[in-house]
């Protein structure tokens, strides 16, 4: 079976794809010091807990925005799965449709996976809003190419910066407040972050659509997408596994075209 690995600045997600659906998904903090052996013990233990100890992984595709992590993931694949992983963003990895950005620019592999997944599920002319360490807006052209986007500070990053930079302000969890006007410090922060990011998403997607000049679908993904989907009509749909699905699309394309 195919193991998809998406390494971000904060978390790394492992998902097993059986050809039709993901049968197991697990998340760990991203640490470049973690060895191949540690990865395997962690993953095999969680697979066994889900009753997947008999599953044979013989193919791996990796998306990583943290280059230092890739070496140990390659060792994991070689030592325990007996395969060479496909690493999105490397020259040997083909894309279903090449990206169209400035010459010499290498888009983040997660953004390439988002474009591939969005196009396969929803067609082109789309904006993917991906909530991670950063909040990325990925623009997918009519033919499925990634053609650029926007990078904004992530929600949790903003909360951490606020707590670190203002001695009197606590760190709070993000949630949708019951009202805009907070009557205590926690409510004020939650309102500012939640409705502030709601306005940011609305404003940026509106400007992208105006500049693009054609009707576009807006797709939310990432951990906080469901939360912000409740706040307003921000997204046409929310796909919690879009990046991972995009990795399966890229992997299949490479298998069929090499």
């Amino acid at each position: 079976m195919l193991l998809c690995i998406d390494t971000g600045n904060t978390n790394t997600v492992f998902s097993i794809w059986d050809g039709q659906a993901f049968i197991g998904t697990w998340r760990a903090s991203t640490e470049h010091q973690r060895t191949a052996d540690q990865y395997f013990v962690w993953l095999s233990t969680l697979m066994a807990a889900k009753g997947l100890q008999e599953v044979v992984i013989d193919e791996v595709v990796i998306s990583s925005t943290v280059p230092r992590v890739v070496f140990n993931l390659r060792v994991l694949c070689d030592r325990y799965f007996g395969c060479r992983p496909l690493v999105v963003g490397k020259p040997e990895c083909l894309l279903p449709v090449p990206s169209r950005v400035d010459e010499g620019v290498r888009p983040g592999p997660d953004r390439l996976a988002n474009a591939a997944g969005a196009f396969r599920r929803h067609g082109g002319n789309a904006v993917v809003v991906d909530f991670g360490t950063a909040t990325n807006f990925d623009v997918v052209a009519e033919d499925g190419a990634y053609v650029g986007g926007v990078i904004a500070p992530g929600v949790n990053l903003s909360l951490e910066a606020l707590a670190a930079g203002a001695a009197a302000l606590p760190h709070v969890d993000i949630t949708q407040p019951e009202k805009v006007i907070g009557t205590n410090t926690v409510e004020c922060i939650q309102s500012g972050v939640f409705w502030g990011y709601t306005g940011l998403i609305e404003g940026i997607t509106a400007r992208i659509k105006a500049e693009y000049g054609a009707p576009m679908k807006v797709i939310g993904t990432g951990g906080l997408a469901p939360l912000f989907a409740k706040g307003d009509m921000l997204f046409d749909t929310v796909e919690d596994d879009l990046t991972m699905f995009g990795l399966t699309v890229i992997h299949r394309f490479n298998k069929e075209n090499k």
Side-chain angles (χ1 to χ4, degrees):
M1 289 191 185
L2 174 64
L3 174 64
C4 301
I5 305 175
D6 177 37
T7 298
N9 290 295
T10 304
N11 293 315
T12 299
V13 181
F14 292 72
S15 291
I16 298 175
W17 176 256
D18 69 358
Q20 299 295 325
F22 290 108
I23 60 174
T25 296
W26 303 274
R27 185 180 300 265
S29 60
T30 298
E31 296 178 5
H32 69 269
Q33 302 98 331
R34 186 173 283 130
T35 66
D37 301 326
Q38 289 173 317
Y39 277 122
F40 180 73
V41 170
W42 173 83
L43 181 60
S44 58
T45 300
L46 290 172
M47 288 175 62
K50 196 174 175 64
L52 299 175
Q53 61 269 23
E54 301 300 323
V55 169
V56 176
I57 294 171
D58 54 8
E59 296 177 301
V60 180
V61 57
I62 298 172
S63 162
S64 178
T65 58
V66 186
R68 295 175 69 187
V69 173
V70 175
F71 174 77
N72 283 329
L73 291 176
R74 286 185 182 274
V75 175
L76 168 72
C77 297
D78 177 65
R79 182 177 298 169
Y80 291 104
F81 305 137
C83 68
R84 178 183 177 88
L86 177 68
V87 182
V88 178
K90 296 296 183 182
E92 64 271 18
C93 178
L94 304 176
L95 297 175
V97 183
S99 60
R100 293 194 292 274
V101 294
D102 292 346
E103 185 176 355
V105 172
R106 290 188 178 182
D110 53 335
R111 309 187 84 168
L112 299 174
N114 284 343
F119 183 71
R120 178 62 62 87
R121 282 182 171 170
H122 305 285
N125 293 341
V127 181
V128 178
V129 183
D130 189 353
F131 293 87
T133 304
T135 301
N136 290 339
F137 296 74
D138 304 324
V139 179
V140 186
E142 185 175 10
D143 63 352
Y146 169 78
V147 293
V150 175
I151 300 176
V155 176
N156 287 321
L157 193 63
S158 295
L159 282 169
E160 291 170 7
L162 187 63
L169 297 181
H171 182 84
V172 302
D173 293 327
I174 181 62
T175 186
Q176 181 179 350
E178 295 181 1
K179 53 188 179 180
V180 176
I181 302 174
T183 53
N184 57 63
T185 302
V186 170
E187 288 181 355
C188 289
I189 295 173
Q190 290 174 335
S191 182
V193 172
F194 182 85
W195 293 114
Y197 270 86
T198 297
L200 180 145
I201 296 163
E202 288 177 327
I204 291 179
T205 53
R207 288 179 179 273
I208 288 173
K209 290 178 179 179
E211 186 173 295
Y212 191 77
M216 304 182 79
K217 300 172 286 290
V218 181
I219 304 164
T221 193
L224 291 177
L227 171 64
F228 282 91
K230 298 177 183 178
D232 209 338
M233 298 300 293
L234 297 177
F235 311 120
D236 295 300
T237 186
V238 172
E239 304 273 358
D240 60 355
D241 64 349
L242 186 67
T243 307
M244 308 305 283
F245 176 69
L247 291 179
T248 73
V249 173
I250 294 174
H251 180 268
R252 181 174 179 178
F253 181 81
N254 279 263
K255 284 189 66 175
E256 294 175 348
N257 291 274
K258 283 189 175 181

